[in-house]
Amino acid sequence: MSHQQAISELEAAAQIIMAPPNLVSNEQRHSAETIFLNFRKSKRPYEICRQILEQSQNQYVMFEAAEVLKEAIIREWSFLVASDRASLRQYLMQYITTHQVPHYVQDRILQVISIMIKRASIDDQGRERGTILQEVENLIMNAEPDKKLLGCNIITNLMQEYASTVKSTDVGLPWEIHFRAKKQFESTDLKRVFQFCVYLLSEVVKNDSSYTPIMVQLTRHLLQITERVLTWGYVSPINILFFCFI
């Protein structure tokens, strides 16, 4: 089956799943659910997921494509070559900054990106993460208002993947590796995020003009990120003292 045929099958199945119960039979719904269950088990689904994100207008299918990407990245990370990882991560970053997609689809894509950044940081000690944070900072500083909010959402999702909470994704790593990655993030880029947010908030305070609705939203996001840093559950108490002398 070609990718185009597979996408058409997924879209038809999505219509059945989302249809009112009185319009479809149990057998039809079960068959549609089986199609998506099989899709979630796909090996190396990266190309078909890209095509779905680019071509499909069905929001349910788009969300499922993002979910399949997440599961595949977790399952197949060790088998992907570095260039393929980088290509996929760059594509997803480009996609969310150039496409208008439903909020829940965007959130799942941001989660995939954050998982990829975290996994890469285990091998490169956060080098790629630092580069991406620079891109995000530039986005927040220089882009149009909606992209500024997107930049804040990227930071929020990235912090979530390094946090030790029930919302953190199980990326198939032993806890000792997760904590090592978390500690490395705390000692470098968490401080960077804090300083960046404090700088932007100070600029907001200096602005005496009335605040636009988008500026109010941006300020709220920055305050939420800053609060997360200040209430962060640190691996090492030394990092807490480190922040006290910023």
Side-chain angles (χ1 to χ4, degrees):
M1 183 185 298
S2 68
H3 284 171
Q4 194 58 54
Q5 290 174 317
I7 293 172
S8 297
E9 184 180 59
L10 288 167
E11 290 177 336
Q15 291 178 352
I16 293 173
I17 291 174
M18 300 302 291
N22 61 312
L23 296 183
V24 296
S25 66
N26 290 335
E27 291 76 13
Q28 286 177 307
R29 191 174 298 276
H30 177 72
S31 177
E33 290 171 348
T34 300
I35 290 172
F36 278 100
L37 287 173
N38 290 335
F39 178 46
R40 292 171 190 168
K41 298 176 184 176
S42 302
K43 296 181 179 179
R44 301 186 66 84
Y46 311 107
E47 184 56 35
I48 187 173
C49 287
R50 283 194 187 197
Q51 290 189 24
I52 289 172
L53 292 175
E54 292 290 345
Q55 300 173 18
S56 181
Q57 299 299 312
N58 188 296
Q59 297 179 3
Y60 186 93
V61 176
M62 293 172 68
F63 178 82
E64 284 293 325
E67 178 66 23
V68 167
L69 276 177
K70 186 188 83 169
E71 297 300 326
I73 285 295
I74 293 172
R75 183 177 64 247
E76 301 176 2
W77 180 264
S78 300
F79 306 105
L80 293 174
V81 298
S83 59
D84 288 344
R85 297 172 184 170
S87 175
L88 178 59
R89 196 270 300 165
Q90 290 166 3
Y91 167 75
L92 292 175
M93 284 288 289
Q94 181 271 337
Y95 180 84
I96 60 169
T97 55
T98 57
H99 290 69
Q100 293 292 331
V101 296
H103 181 71
Y104 53 89
V105 176
Q106 182 187 94
D107 276 354
R108 189 49 49 92
I109 293 174
L110 290 177
Q111 188 181 36
V112 175
I113 294 171
S114 299
I115 290 171
M116 296 182 74
I117 294 172
K118 179 181 177 181
R119 289 300 300 258
S121 72
I122 294 170
D123 299 321
D124 70 3
Q125 300 301 306
R127 184 174 62 254
E128 181 184 76
R129 185 182 64 227
T131 300
I132 293 168
L133 279 174
Q134 183 63 59
E135 295 174 4
V136 173
E137 290 171 0
N138 292 335
L139 190 70
I140 296 173
M141 292 286 289
N142 303 314
E144 55 269 29
D146 62 322
K147 297 298 188 295
K148 294 178 185 289
L149 298 178
L150 174 62
C152 290
N153 287 332
I154 294 173
I155 292 176
T156 298
N157 275 270
L158 183 60
M159 289 177 64
Q160 187 60 65
E161 289 308 317
Y162 282 97
S164 301
T165 71
V166 293
K167 293 183 180 180
S168 302
T169 306
D170 180 2
V171 294
L173 294 173
W175 273 107
E176 58 269 22
I177 297 179
H178 165 76
F179 279 119
R180 187 163 68 242
K182 182 174 185 283
K183 185 175 181 179
Q184 197 275 335
F185 174 67
E186 291 172 0
S187 63
T188 55
D189 290 324
L190 188 62
K191 175 189 175 184
R192 173 179 182 166
V193 167
F194 181 76
Q195 291 176 318
F196 180 68
C197 289
V198 168
Y199 166 74
L200 291 182
L201 289 170
S202 69
E203 292 299 306
V204 171
V205 172
K206 293 176 184 177
N207 187 355
D208 294 330
S209 61
S210 59
Y211 298 142
T212 62
I214 197 71
M215 180 58 68
V216 172
Q217 289 186 59
L218 178 61
T219 302
R220 184 181 298 115
H221 277 285
L222 293 171
L223 287 170
Q224 289 172 344
I225 294 171
T226 305
E227 179 185 15
R228 289 192 179 197
V229 175
L230 294 174
T231 58
W232 187 267
Y234 290 90
V235 172
S236 173
I238 295 176
N239 289 326
I240 302 177
L241 295 175
F242 188 59
F243 269 87
C244 293
F245 294 97
I246 292 176

